[in-house]
Amino acid sequence: MGKQIATVAGGRQSALLGLGVYRPERVVTNDEICELIDSNDEWIQSRSGIRNRRFAAEDENVVTMSIEAGRKAIEASGIDPEQIGVVIVATSTYLLLTPPAAALVADALGTNGPGAFDLGGGCAGFCTALTVASDLVRGGSVDYALVVGVEKMSITTDPTDRSTRFIFGDGAGAVVVGKSDVAGIGPVEWGSDGSQADAIVQDLDWYEYITTPGATRPYIKMAGTAVFRWAAFEMGKVALRAVEKAGLSVDDLDAFVPHQANSRITEVIARSMKLPEGVPVSDDIAESGNTSAASVPLAMEEMLQSGATKPGDTALLLAFGAGLSYAAQVVTMPALAKN
């Protein structure tokens, strides 16, 4: 059993009750990506740690992937879908302004018409949404919440863009957050730096696209070097503050689950934290790529499936990306849906 997270305030607490994910069937190798960009497998692996990623099928989208992950999370939690009081879908790749994806997901899962909204937090979206859900549970607004991190990055990155195409993949991960007698989700350490917002952007808004003759459709663009420097040298500090807020030290951690942005960034962060060598660190990026808001729950699932960590362990979650924004918290690892 992992170390106990410190209680922040009186009253009931929140915890992760169940985890479920959805990984698209199609595996896309570096060699396939390089058919349209000037690169090669060796360069991609050496710079990012990525070997493969998953791309969703044409008939799969943010909603369908969220439904699959959400169903598994609810099953793992052991609660009835009608007990869910709110559904939060964290995503940057739902291409409809309305209706919110969360409402469609809530209905498809057989919930009883709970509150439902989408959250656009970029790669930090899941950890941000997890904080919102935890506070809603702790405050008594709901007893149970479903949080989904989901992206279909394959349709928002230019297939010929050497700076972004090899990085991203598709997928979804979901957790049920519920009331608990003991703290299973620590206080968040979060923030943003809007002065660097142009480091990760959509290069054209949709209205400009439809009103500009001959315009190329909008895609996500990234200044990779700027993001690398910011994440590698600032996120270690964020991680340590989250651990401190939970009343713990890095020696108390059983696992570290960072956003799967780049394996080299992860290595720098772990060193800057002075993370003990025996603490396992997620490396889901090798087979999943960077799945933005889906990254952290997918990485949690991979660690549980591989046995690197187990339910009840104390893990540090850390996510960062567009905004530039970040969020981190210590959690007790949840039960995993059966295959």
Side-chain angles (χ1 to χ4, degrees), residues 124-160:
F126 176 79
C127 289
T128 302
L130 180 58
T131 292
V132 174
S134 175
D135 286 353
L136 287 171
V137 170
R138 291 180 63 248
S141 297
V142 300
D143 288 337
Y144 302 98
L146 177 69
V147 176
V148 184
V150 56
E151 304 287 7
K152 190 173 181 179
M153 301 298 295
S154 58
I155 60 172
T156 58
T157 50
D158 182 350
T160 65

Side-chain angles (χ1 to χ4, degrees), residues 3 170 247 251 255 266 307:
K3 288 285 186 175
D170 303 338
D251 293 327
T266 297

Side-chain angles (χ1 to χ4, degrees), residues 141-206:
S141 297
V142 300
D143 288 337
Y144 302 98
L146 177 69
V147 176
V148 184
V150 56
E151 304 287 7
K152 190 173 181 179
M153 301 298 295
S154 58
I155 60 172
T156 58
T157 50
D158 182 350
T160 65
D161 182 359
R162 188 176 186 271
S163 66
T164 61
R165 188 60 171 179
F166 72 91
I167 297 172
F168 296 104
D170 303 338
V175 293
V176 172
V177 178
K179 57 185 179 179
S180 174
D181 292 331
V182 296
I185 302 173
V188 70
E189 173 65 25
W190 61 1
S192 62
D193 181 3
S195 69
Q196 298 192 70
D198 58 355
I200 306 174
V201 298
Q202 179 176 304
D203 57 1
L204 189 71
D205 73 48
W206 289 104

Side-chain angles (χ1 to χ4, degrees), residues 22-252:
Y22 178 74
R23 298 177 187 270
E25 289 187 11
R26 182 186 171 197
V27 176
V28 180
T29 65
N30 287 340
D31 288 337
E32 181 177 343
I33 291 293
C34 292
E35 291 175 4
L36 295 177
I37 65 172
D38 181 19
S39 188
N40 58 66
D41 173 68
E42 181 181 2
W43 186 90
I44 292 173
Q45 288 201 48
S46 65
R47 294 302 181 95
S48 68
I50 299 170
R51 292 191 294 266
N52 300 298
R53 74 284 294 145
R54 304 288 184 103
F55 278 5
E58 289 187 8
D59 61 349
E60 293 178 321
N61 55 44
V62 162
V63 172
T64 62
M65 291 190 289
S66 295
I67 292 168
E68 292 301 316
R71 182 178 290 115
K72 293 177 183 177
I74 293 171
E75 175 189 334
S77 73
I79 69 167
D80 189 280
E82 293 188 356
Q83 294 178 269
I84 297 292
V86 65
V87 175
I88 308 173
V89 173
T91 185
S92 297
T93 52
Y94 181 56
L95 300 184
L96 292 176
L97 295 178
T98 191
L104 303 180
V105 173
D107 179 66
L109 290 174
T111 58
N112 192 28
F117 61 93
D118 298 350
L119 187 153
C123 297
F126 176 79
C127 289
T128 302
L130 180 58
T131 292
V132 174
S134 175
D135 286 353
L136 287 171
V137 170
R138 291 180 63 248
S141 297
V142 300
D143 288 337
Y144 302 98
L146 177 69
V147 176
V148 184
V150 56
E151 304 287 7
K152 190 173 181 179
M153 301 298 295
S154 58
I155 60 172
T156 58
T157 50
D158 182 350
T160 65
D161 182 359
R162 188 176 186 271
S163 66
T164 61
R165 188 60 171 179
F166 72 91
I167 297 172
F168 296 104
D170 303 338
V175 293
V176 172
V177 178
K179 57 185 179 179
S180 174
D181 292 331
V182 296
I185 302 173
V188 70
E189 173 65 25
W190 61 1
S192 62
D193 181 3
S195 69
Q196 298 192 70
D198 58 355
I200 306 174
V201 298
Q202 179 176 304
D203 57 1
L204 189 71
D205 73 48
W206 289 104
Y207 183 75
E208 288 177 312
Y209 170 60
I210 63 176
T211 58
T212 304
T216 302
R217 63 146 288 182
Y219 283 115
I220 292 173
K221 301 293 182 182
M222 182 169 66
T225 301
V227 175
F228 187 103
R229 289 172 178 168
W230 172 77
F233 298 105
E234 294 297 327
M235 290 305 101
K237 303 170 190 174
V238 171
L240 289 174
R241 291 197 294 268
V243 172
E244 182 180 4
K245 282 186 173 182
L248 305 175
S249 72
V250 291
D251 293 327
D252 295 320

